């Protein structure tokens, strides 16, 4: 059997930080072998058919939602996505012009992969940028010989969180930004007016977070970039493209 191609199937009904190589021990191996360790130790070619339903996501923006992992040379993976494979959303920037954070990656390939995308594959939305803090000072005369100095400071509105199944949180500010949802970025927080004696300072709103696969909006702070929907795209053959949102690497 050492020259034989091993066929295996696996159906995933939702997962977080899924790794096909790590999960191969749970696959149904139909090519005559029952041990994944035997496949690896003998470097046998694998045709691995993985179907994803529901939502496959990532716990944070530093890790990918679906990673094929490494298989013996000559192997190939056949991915059918019937749901969502999505990166995590970036957090919104906080006051004083804080930038939004980038969104996370969705799909990382490490071998030849044939993709039938009947759903959505999307990088996380970038977080929105916060607006600037505004300060104003005023001297208020109290007698012919003196005055009181007043200073008012108004933080800018926080940036909205980027979209993702694990969505970005809104940034802090005069009003905090809103978190994102699975497909939509959160709104930026409002600015506002602070009065201290005769001084008055008014700040502006933060920018919204990016929708799935879109960068966050920019205010005084820049918006975070969108996550990649695919990394190592040279391994991919698209049988059905479906909805693909975000960057390509």
């Amino acid at each position: 059997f050492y020259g034989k191609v091993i066929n295996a199937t696996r159906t995933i009904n939702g997962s977080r930080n899924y790794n096909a190589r790590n999960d191969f021990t749970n696959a149904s191996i139909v090519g005559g072998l029952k041990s994944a360790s035997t496949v690896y130790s003998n470097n046998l070619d694998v045709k691995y058919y993985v179907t994803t339903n529901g939502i496959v996501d990532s716990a944070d923006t530093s890790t990918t939602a679906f990673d094929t992992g490494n298989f013996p040379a000559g192997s190939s993976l056949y991915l059918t996505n019937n749901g969502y494979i999505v990166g995590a959303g970036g957090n919104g920037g906080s006051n004083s012009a804080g930038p939004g954070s980038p969104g996370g990656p969705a799909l990382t390939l490490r071998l030849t992969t044939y993709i039938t995308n009947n759903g959505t594959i999307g990088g996380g939305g970038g977080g929105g940028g916060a607006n600037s803090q505004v300060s104003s000072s005023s001297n208020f005369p109290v007698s012919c010989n003196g005055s009181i100095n007043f200073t008012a400071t108004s933080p800018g509105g926080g940036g909205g969180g980027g979209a993702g199944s694990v969505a970005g949180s809104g940034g802090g500010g005069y009003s905090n930004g809103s978190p994102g949802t699975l497909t939509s970025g959160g709104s930026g927080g409002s600015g506002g007016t602070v009065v201290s004696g005769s001084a008055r300072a008014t700040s502006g709103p933060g920018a919204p977070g990016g929708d799935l696969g879109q960068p966050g909006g920019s205010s005084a702070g820049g918006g975070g970039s969108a996550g990649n929907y695919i990394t190592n795209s040279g391994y991919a053959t698209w049988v059905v493209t479906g909805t693909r949102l975000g960057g390509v690497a």
Side-chain angles (χ1 to χ4, degrees):
F1 56 71
Y2 292 104
K4 190 171 185 178
V5 174
I6 306 304
N7 294 285
T9 61
R10 181 82 166 114
T11 298
I12 305 300
N13 295 310
S15 185
R16 179 157 292 171
N17 297 122
Y18 180 75
N19 186 291
R21 162 67 187 254
N22 293 346
D23 190 50
F24 187 64
T25 55
N26 297 314
S28 297
I29 301 176
V30 296
L33 294 175
K34 300 302 180 184
S35 169
S37 61
T38 302
V39 171
Y40 297 141
S41 62
N42 291 287
N43 290 316
L44 301 178
D45 293 357
V46 175
K47 285 188 176 181
Y48 193 14
Y49 297 83
V50 178
T51 299
T52 57
N53 302 312
I55 298 174
V56 177
D57 64 15
S58 178
D60 55 58
T61 57
S62 66
T63 54
T64 191
F66 186 112
D67 192 327
T68 63
N70 294 302
F71 285 83
S75 297
S76 53
L77 190 142
Y78 296 77
L79 171 62
T80 299
N81 173 45
N82 296 321
Y84 287 87
I85 300 175
V86 291
N91 294 330
S94 291
N95 57 4
S96 300
S101 299
L107 175 63
T108 298
L109 308 183
R110 304 184 192 276
L111 76 164
T112 298
T113 303
Y114 299 88
I115 304 170
T116 301
N117 182 25
N118 300 320
T120 297
I121 301 174
N131 216 320
S132 296
Q133 176 175 285
V134 175
S135 295
S136 177
S137 297
S138 175
N139 288 316
F140 183 78
V142 293
S143 70
C144 60
N145 295 318
S147 63
I148 298 175
N149 180 265
F150 293 99
T151 299
T153 300
S154 177
S165 176
V166 177
S169 60
Y174 184 89
S175 293
N176 294 344
S178 299
T181 66
L182 173 61
T183 58
S184 298
S187 59
S190 63
T193 299
V194 173
V195 176
S196 175
S198 59
R200 181 184 184 91
T202 301
S203 62
D211 293 342
L212 192 65
Q214 300 299 314
S218 293
S219 183
S225 59
N228 292 327
Y229 76 81
I230 189 169
T231 302
N232 300 330
S233 60
Y235 285 116
T237 295
W238 293 91
V239 180
V240 175
T241 57
T243 300
R244 304 178 297 182
L245 303 170
V248 177

